[in-house]
């Protein structure tokens, strides 16, 4: 269980129990109208079915990268880079 600075328990993502060994983590850019960047989605995707198991929005790449690293380390998942540079 994870705790914040006040020693209160932090609940995980509601879909986190669906993550298993055969998943991957992807980061994608979320676009608003006129092609403007509106944050990033961190996706945990099942490799067999290509279904999104978990979808978490982050305001920028740094937050998205930290979230992707968290799921990658916690569940031993590969991070797949799909962001166009």
């Amino acid at each position: 269980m994870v705790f914040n600075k006040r020693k209160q328990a932090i609940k995980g993502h509601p879909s986190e129990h669906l993550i298993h060994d055969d998943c991957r983590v992807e980061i994608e850019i979320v676009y608003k109208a006129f092609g403007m960047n509106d944050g990033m989605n961190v996706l945990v995707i099942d490799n067999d079915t290509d279904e999104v198991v978990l979808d978490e929005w982050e305001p920028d790449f740094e937050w998205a990268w930290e979230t992707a690293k968290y799921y990658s380390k916690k569940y031993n998942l590969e991070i797949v880079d799909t962001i166009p540079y």
Side-chain angles (χ1 to χ4, degrees), residues 59-79:
D60 59 24
F61 179 77
E62 291 167 3
W63 279 97
W65 181 247
E66 290 299 320
T67 302
K69 285 193 315 187
Y70 167 79
Y71 288 120
S72 176
K73 287 182 180 182
K74 184 172 182 180
Y75 295 101
N76 197 25
L77 304 177
E78 177 185 15
I79 299 175

Side-chain angles (χ1 to χ4, degrees), residues 9 25 32 49 54 67:
V25 181
K32 292 196 298 191
T49 61
L54 184 138
T67 302

Side-chain angles (χ1 to χ4, degrees), residues 15-31:
S15 300
E16 196 168 339
H17 68 282
L18 299 173
I19 299 174
H20 55 86
D21 291 345
D22 198 23
C23 290
R24 67 183 182 273
V25 181
E26 291 187 7
I27 300 173
E28 71 176 15
I29 300 172
V30 178
Y31 291 103

Side-chain angles (χ1 to χ4, degrees), residues 1-3 5 11 13 17 19 21 27 29 33 35 37 39-40 43 45-46 49 51-52 60 64 70-71 75 79 81:
M1 183 164 287
V2 180
F3 297 91
K5 292 180 183 178
K11 231 169 78 172
H13 192 283
H17 68 282
I19 299 174
D21 291 345
I27 300 173
I29 300 172
N37 184 344
M40 313 290 274
L43 306 172
I45 301 173
D46 187 326
T49 61
E51 289 184 24
V52 175
D60 59 24
Y70 167 79
Y71 288 120
Y75 295 101
I79 299 175
D81 185 8

